[in-house]
Amino acid sequence: ICYNTQPSALTLSGHVGTVVQWEWSPNGTDNWNAIANTTTTLTGAVMGNLTADCWYRAKVESSNNCSEDYSNAVKITVWAQANAGTISSAQTICHNTQPNNLTLNGHVGTVVRWEWSANGIDNWNAIANTTTTLTSAEMGNLTADRWYRVVVKNGASCSEVTSGAVKITVWAQANAGTISSAQTICYNTQPNNLTLNGHVGTVVRWEWSANGIDNWNAIANTTTTLTSAEMGNLTADRWYRVVVKNGASCSEVTGGAVKIDIIDLNTITLTSAVGTDNQAVCKGDDITTITYATTGATGATITNLPNGVTGVWNANVITIQGTPTVTDTYTITLTGGCGNITAIGKITVNDLPAEPTATTTIVTNCTGTPNGTLTVTSPLGAGYTYSVDGGAFQSEVLFTDL
């Protein structure tokens, strides 16, 4: 019979005499204990729930009380109490991987089946395995926590008992989240901090690449923020991404990369003739038009142009023209785009010289050879040149052979 259950009634037959009592023994040899029953049937209720093997016999006495005899002893075999033992062992595993085998130890009885549950409380699902080992392959790749237990019974018709459940903890699937945010910055400046959001797991490192495809370089940062200082001043486009894993032994995953676009500094280049940005003209004369080409800028301011001179920026071209009345040094400052880019030029206005005066010497001779002279007396000074009758200019004030 099963542990802690009542056996079926025992019945005495073929006897001669009167039943005096029934007796039971724990070993069928000695230590017989009387049972006050003088009928030919020993009921299950009288025997009660048994937890160990028991032997029973009947004592019969002749009608004249002259002799007594005992029946044969019958054994009630009691299955040992079923014990589901313990399962080794609970584990923590990576997402979508198989746990190690589970093994049942210290059980009493026969394994009926293994079972699993998603919460360890209810909805237990049967696994057709009657061995003491549940293999990795039988459990398969797990993507969520799972509990396992074993069902044991001792005796085919006896009650089942279940072991304590062991939990397989499954790390959530790593997710590298998203980085905020892509930026466009000026050449040789630092981008704003990059921040990781919505990730699952632990940051292993940040990485950067010059093309966003390969040759990723590790940055020793395990936080969710990559600072401006860590990225430094950038002079070329750069991509950044983060590497995350969930569980020390689990696989790494990488998030999408964000790009830091670098804009070149504005440029300004003189495109008119060399020296036109530092020219001198006589008062009342137009300057030679000055032009510059710009890149990157969206405009320009031009300050300190001489009166009578204008400057405009249009479609990446600066044009300066007009008739200056005074000398001045101008400054062009590009606006928009990147950098503090300027250009400086000078327009010099020279006053017209005073009407010259001169002394002359007239020599009359008979040969017809010119030998008169002319000496300029005003104006005099450095920078003046002189010409007679539209001839060649000279810096000397004396003209001969006139």
Side-chain angles (χ1 to χ4, degrees):
I1 64 171
C2 298
Y3 181 87
N4 201 33
T5 61
Q6 293 180 5
S8 299
L10 300 178
T11 303
L12 179 66
S13 59
H15 64 292
V16 177
T18 302
V19 175
V20 178
Q21 65 184 29
W22 288 76
E23 295 177 345
W24 71 270
S25 166
N27 56 28
T29 304
D30 52 19
N31 294 320
W32 289 97
N33 300 276
I35 301 172
N37 183 341
T38 58
T39 72
T40 58
T41 299
L42 185 63
T43 66
V46 173
M47 290 181 279
N49 287 32
L50 302 184
T51 58
D53 292 348
C54 232
W55 283 257
Y56 291 90
R57 69 184 182 183
K59 183 179 179 181
V60 177
E61 198 173 72
S62 64
S63 57
N64 57 9
N65 296 324
C66 291
S67 62
E68 59 183 18
D69 197 8
Y70 292 93
S71 70
N72 62 303
V74 294
K75 181 181 180 183
I76 307 298
T77 301
V78 179
W79 288 106
Q81 184 175 15
N83 184 333
T86 56
I87 300 171
S88 57
S89 58
Q91 302 164 44
T92 298
I93 64 172
C94 298
H95 182 85
N96 200 33
T97 61
Q98 294 182 1
N100 294 328
N101 292 352
L102 296 179
T103 304
L104 179 65
N105 302 287
H107 66 293
V108 176
T110 303
V111 174
V112 178
R113 65 185 174 276
W114 289 75
E115 296 178 338
W116 71 267
S117 166
N119 58 21
I121 300 171
D122 53 16
N123 297 319
W124 290 95
N125 302 274
I127 302 171
N129 181 336
T130 58
T131 73
T132 57
T133 299
L134 184 64
T135 66
S136 300
E138 287 175 297
M139 291 180 278
N141 287 38
L142 303 184
T143 57
D145 293 346
R146 189 166 283 188
W147 285 256
Y148 291 90
R149 70 182 185 184
V150 71
V151 179
V152 172
K153 70 177 178 179
N154 201 19
S157 62
C158 299
S159 299
E160 297 174 348
V161 295
T162 56
S163 68
V166 295
K167 181 182 180 183
I168 307 299
T169 301
V170 180
W171 288 107
Q173 185 172 14
N175 184 331
T178 56
I179 300 170
S180 57
S181 60
Q183 302 166 45
T184 299
I185 64 173
C186 292
Y187 179 89
N188 200 33
T189 61
Q190 294 182 2
N192 294 327
N193 292 354
L194 297 178
T195 303
L196 178 65
N197 301 287
H199 66 293
V200 176
T202 303
V203 174
V204 179
R205 63 185 176 276
W206 289 74
E207 296 180 337
W208 70 268
S209 166
N211 58 21
I213 300 170
D214 53 17
N215 296 320
W216 290 95
N217 302 274
I219 302 171
N221 180 335
T222 58
T223 73
T224 56
T225 299
L226 185 64
T227 65
S228 300
E230 287 175 298
M231 291 180 277
N233 287 38
L234 302 184
T235 57
D237 292 347
R238 189 167 283 189
W239 285 257
Y240 291 91
R241 71 181 185 183
V242 71
V243 179
V244 172
K245 69 177 178 179
N246 200 20
S249 62
C250 300
S251 299
E252 297 176 348
V253 296
T254 55
V258 296
K259 182 182 180 184
I260 308 298
D261 277 302
I262 308 301
I263 298 178
D264 289 334
L265 297 178
N266 297 342
T267 64
I268 183 168
T269 306
L270 181 69
T271 53
S272 54
V274 174
T276 52
D277 58 342
N278 187 16
Q279 59 178 290
V281 296
C282 291
K283 183 177 287 186
D285 289 344
D286 292 340
I287 63 169
T288 300
T289 299
I290 306 168
T291 58
Y292 295 88
T294 66
T295 63
T298 57
T301 59
I302 308 169
T303 57
N304 298 328
L305 284 172
N307 292 337
V309 176
T310 60
V312 294
W313 179 94
N314 182 48
N316 294 315
V317 174
I318 294 172
T319 303
I320 298 173
Q321 57 190 355
T323 306
T325 60
V326 293
T327 297
D328 216 334
T329 299
Y330 63 85
T331 300
I332 302 171
T333 303
L334 300 185
T335 58
C338 285
N340 182 22
I341 307 301
T342 61
I344 297 174
K346 184 176 182 180
I347 298 172
T348 302
V349 177
N350 293 321
D351 290 330
L352 294 175
E355 184 177 346
T357 60
T359 60
T360 60
T361 301
I362 300 173
V363 178
T364 302
N365 60 49
C366 297
T367 63
T369 300
N371 58 3
T373 63
L374 181 149
T375 302
V376 179
T377 58
S378 176
L380 302 175
Y384 286 105
T385 58
Y386 311 95
S387 170
V388 173
D389 294 333
F393 281 85
Q394 63 182 47
S395 58
E396 291 291 330
V397 297
L398 174 64
F399 291 85
T400 61
D401 298 327
L402 297 176

